[in-house]
Amino acid sequence: DGVAFGSGTLVDVQGDQGLVITNWHVVRDAAGDIEVAFPDGHRSKAKVIKTDRDWDLAALVIWKPQCAPVSLSPTAPQPGETLTIAGYGSGNFRAATAKCTQYVSPGRSLPFE
């Protein structure tokens, strides 16, 4: 009977649908409908179409919003490049920018990038 918040990124739009990438832990315990909200007021029910628990990722399909998707880089960031992370880790939205220093794998049998 509660509500949880998380962040995600629109990464693709095809036809009347959009693809949002978020963290698996954001949708993991959802017992009811998942809804995605955009700053312009657009709201859409979302359906989880793929998850990766090891890397803490989830892909959601939504109705197409009136904004453009964020372009994804074809290559992983290299040490020394500037990265920004954003989310609701402490319950309030926050963002941090710093240099990439290393990769950390979520498991011994998984690659570092």
Side-chain angles (χ1 to χ4, degrees):
D1 294 334
V3 175
F5 295 93
S7 60
T9 303
L10 179 69
V11 296
D12 194 23
V13 171
Q14 292 187 14
D16 60 355
Q17 297 180 325
L19 178 68
V20 172
I21 301 298
T22 188
N23 293 105
W24 172 69
H25 72 263
V26 171
V27 298
R28 170 186 57 210
D29 298 326
D33 291 336
I34 297 171
E35 185 177 64
V36 174
F38 287 81
D40 68 356
H42 175 79
R43 293 173 113 58
S44 172
K45 297 272 194 226
K47 178 181 178 186
V48 177
I49 57 171
K50 186 77 172 167
T51 61
D52 186 325
R53 294 175 182 176
D54 290 331
W55 290 96
D56 192 26
L57 293 170
L60 314 175
V61 66
I62 64 167
W63 290 111
K64 179 182 173 182
Q66 295 299 313
C67 60
V70 172
S71 298
L72 296 178
S73 175
T75 60
Q78 299 301 305
E81 290 183 347
T82 302
L83 300 174
T84 299
I85 60 170
Y88 288 88
S90 63
N92 295 313
F93 181 80
R94 60 185 176 153
T97 300
K99 300 268 186 213
C100 175
T101 58
Q102 65 180 349
Y103 287 101
V104 178
S105 172
R108 292 178 187 241
S109 63
L110 297 170
F112 282 95
E113 59 180 60

